[in-house]
Amino acid sequence: MTEFGTPPLCTEIYGSRRTRHYLPLPDGKLRCVPDRPEDQTYRSLRDVFMSVFLPQGYPESVSPDYLAYQIWDTVQAFASSITGTLATQAVLKGVGVGDETSTVTAATVTWILKDGTGMLGRILFAWSKGNKLDCDAKQWRLFADVLNDVAILMEILAPAFPACFTLIVCISGFFKCIVGVAGGATRAALTMHQARRDNMADVSAKDGSQETLVNLAGLLCSLFLIPLVADNLPLTYALYGLFTILHLYANYRAVRAVCMETLNRARLRLVLRHFLRWGKVPGPVLVNPKEPLLLGYHQQLRLILGAPLHTVVSNTADFQKALEGSSSNYLLFFNQAAGECVGASSRRGRLGSK
């Protein structure tokens, strides 16, 4: 029943939008009556805000952990924006901004070396770790944010060591480009997890809008902080320490809030351990809070699929021994000393794995 005392013909509900009731009129037409029309101004502002910064159809169109993750991600982005401003000021001071004895050429060379080193780091990291970022997205996301704080600290400290300034900012640029690769790749994996209606583009775009708004707020705060820290190193270090603690805590809470519904090695280990102990398969809500977030925390079994045969057998006797009792079209070897499980060539002579 609506406030007019007439039962609605139908009720329309879509995500976080206002509920609408459709009433039949005597002339056969439909009348749309929004829910709680007295709150129309408030709801209109709320609807505009949500349509700008949240995916269409929220909350049904995203995963249940979306809101918790985004709240903590917003906090960490704000803290990172403040510390990034402190680092930018230190780097500009180090390259000679405001120093009459510095030359434009020297500052330009330093900046080019910094950017070039970072580009090299981006290529090397993507080559060496690119295929590991999807399955361990939470671990690599936390790693990227910790490394980002280390890079910012190096930039803040760089002006105190003029003789090594270029080297320090080059290493910092190297680290920051690694952060960019790891953060961007893991963000894509998390977006895939959050999107529930084939709306990855919408989720990613709204995440960008949220981050832009937070960075804008961080810039406004930085306008007030910069005059205070311009010639006050103790205050600069104190603010860096404060916002870095907030940044790391918010990042930990953000990745801990993510409840992945797929299995990686860490989650599979937890599922098997629970099953062998209790005889039940635990759900994602039970497994995810126990997943280690530090890379290399547990020794992992290395799986090598499609390995060349010569890497696991060196003579005919070993090859014949591996064939005994095997009816599969591939061979499996376990190297206990190295902690490796290797899938080698097939029995029919084709290199590969099945």
Side-chain angles (χ1 to χ4, degrees), residues 223-277:
L223 290 177
F224 295 98
L225 291 177
I226 289 301
L228 300 177
V229 302
D231 297 311
N232 193 337
L233 286 179
L235 182 59
T236 300
Y237 299 150
L239 288 175
Y240 168 79
L242 175 64
F243 283 102
T244 297
I245 292 174
L246 178 62
H247 179 245
L248 293 176
Y249 177 74
N251 269 294
Y252 173 80
R253 291 297 301 269
V255 296
R256 187 55 83 186
V258 176
C259 185
M260 302 293 282
E261 298 167 350
T262 55
L263 291 175
N264 60 4
R265 294 181 184 179
R267 291 190 287 273
L268 177 60
R269 182 185 296 108
L270 292 171
V271 169
L272 293 176
R273 183 183 301 169
H274 188 278
F275 178 78
L276 293 175
R277 184 174 182 180

Side-chain angles (χ1 to χ4, degrees), residues 36 48 78 131 147 208 236 269 278 299 312 351:
R36 293 190 298 173
V48 170
F78 176 80
N131 61 340
L147 188 61
T236 300
R269 182 185 296 108
W278 304 105
Q299 184 179 3
V312 289
L351 291 179

Side-chain angles (χ1 to χ4, degrees), residues 8 76 82 93 95 100 102 105-106 115 127 169 194 198 201 302 309 323 331:
Q76 71 86 18
I82 299 296
K93 182 180 179 180
V95 296
E100 297 179 355
S102 300
T105 302
D115 290 346
W127 166 63
V169 295
Q194 292 175 335
D198 294 328
R302 293 183 58 197
L309 185 63
L323 292 178
L331 299 177

Side-chain angles (χ1 to χ4, degrees), residues 71-85:
I71 289 175
W72 287 111
D73 187 57
T74 298
V75 175
Q76 71 86 18
F78 176 80
S80 180
S81 177
I82 299 296
T83 56
T85 301

Side-chain angles (χ1 to χ4, degrees), residues 16-20 34-53:
S16 57
R17 295 182 180 179
R18 286 182 293 174
T19 301
R20 293 181 173 88
D35 190 26
R36 293 190 298 173
E38 67 277 4
D39 297 336
Q40 186 171 0
T41 303
Y42 165 75
R43 292 298 296 264
S44 296
L45 293 175
R46 178 173 176 268
D47 290 346
V48 170
F49 181 85
M50 297 185 71
S51 65
V52 172
F53 294 105

Side-chain angles (χ1 to χ4, degrees), residues 15-327:
S16 57
R17 295 182 180 179
R18 286 182 293 174
T19 301
R20 293 181 173 88
H21 305 285
Y22 291 89
L23 307 179
L25 297 178
D27 59 359
K29 296 182 179 180
L30 287 178
R31 179 183 180 184
C32 177
V33 180
D35 190 26
R36 293 190 298 173
E38 67 277 4
D39 297 336
Q40 186 171 0
T41 303
Y42 165 75
R43 292 298 296 264
S44 296
L45 293 175
R46 178 173 176 268
D47 290 346
V48 170
F49 181 85
M50 297 185 71
S51 65
V52 172
F53 294 105
L54 293 177
Q56 186 175 7
Y58 171 86
E60 285 83 4
S61 62
V62 294
S63 59
D65 56 11
Y66 177 83
L67 182 60
Y69 174 83
Q70 292 302 128
I71 289 175
W72 287 111
D73 187 57
T74 298
V75 175
Q76 71 86 18
F78 176 80
S80 180
S81 177
I82 299 296
T83 56
T85 301
L86 299 176
T88 300
Q89 182 196 33
V91 171
L92 292 176
K93 182 180 179 180
V95 296
V97 174
D99 187 355
E100 297 179 355
T101 61
S102 300
T103 63
V104 176
T105 302
T108 303
V109 170
T110 300
W111 210 268
I112 291 175
L113 291 174
K114 174 178 176 293
D115 290 346
T117 307
M119 295 175 186
L120 180 63
R122 185 188 300 272
I123 295 173
L124 292 176
F125 182 77
W127 166 63
S128 61
K129 300 296 183 181
N131 61 340
K132 299 179 176 64
L133 300 177
D134 284 310
C135 56
D136 295 323
K138 292 193 287 186
Q139 290 85 345
W140 282 108
R141 178 58 189 265
L142 189 60
F143 166 81
D145 288 302
V146 172
L147 188 61
N148 183 64
D149 289 332
V150 173
I152 290 176
L153 177 61
M154 294 179 65
E155 290 181 346
I156 292 176
L157 295 177
F161 304 94
C164 303
F165 177 81
T166 302
L167 176 62
I168 293 175
V169 295
C170 285
I171 297 175
S172 173
F174 186 89
F175 287 168
K176 281 194 170 184
C177 282
I178 291 177
V179 171
V181 175
T186 55
R187 182 57 201 161
L190 293 176
T191 300
M192 185 181 299
H193 159 72
Q194 292 175 335
R196 295 304 167 94
R197 291 182 177 174
D198 294 328
N199 58 339
M200 279 188 60
D202 188 26
V203 173
S204 179
K206 296 305 170 58
D207 178 71
S209 297
Q210 296 170 23
E211 186 173 357
T212 301
L213 179 64
V214 173
N215 288 335
L216 179 60
L219 290 176
L220 293 176
C221 291
S222 299
L223 290 177
F224 295 98
L225 291 177
I226 289 301
L228 300 177
V229 302
D231 297 311
N232 193 337
L233 286 179
L235 182 59
T236 300
Y237 299 150
L239 288 175
Y240 168 79
L242 175 64
F243 283 102
T244 297
I245 292 174
L246 178 62
H247 179 245
L248 293 176
Y249 177 74
N251 269 294
Y252 173 80
R253 291 297 301 269
V255 296
R256 187 55 83 186
V258 176
C259 185
M260 302 293 282
E261 298 167 350
T262 55
L263 291 175
N264 60 4
R265 294 181 184 179
R267 291 190 287 273
L268 177 60
R269 182 185 296 108
L270 292 171
V271 169
L272 293 176
R273 183 183 301 169
H274 188 278
F275 178 78
L276 293 175
R277 184 174 182 180
W278 304 105
K280 297 180 181 180
V281 178
V285 177
L286 183 62
V287 171
N288 275 270
K290 300 178 181 179
E291 181 183 1
L293 297 180
L294 298 179
L295 291 171
Y297 183 77
H298 292 295
Q299 184 179 3
Q300 297 184 353
L301 175 66
R302 293 183 58 197
L303 300 176
I304 304 176
L305 301 179
L309 185 63
H310 68 82
T311 62
V312 289
V313 295
S314 57
N315 52 60
T316 306
D318 291 340
F319 180 70
Q320 294 297 333
K321 185 177 180 180
L323 292 178
E324 294 177 1
S326 175
S327 59

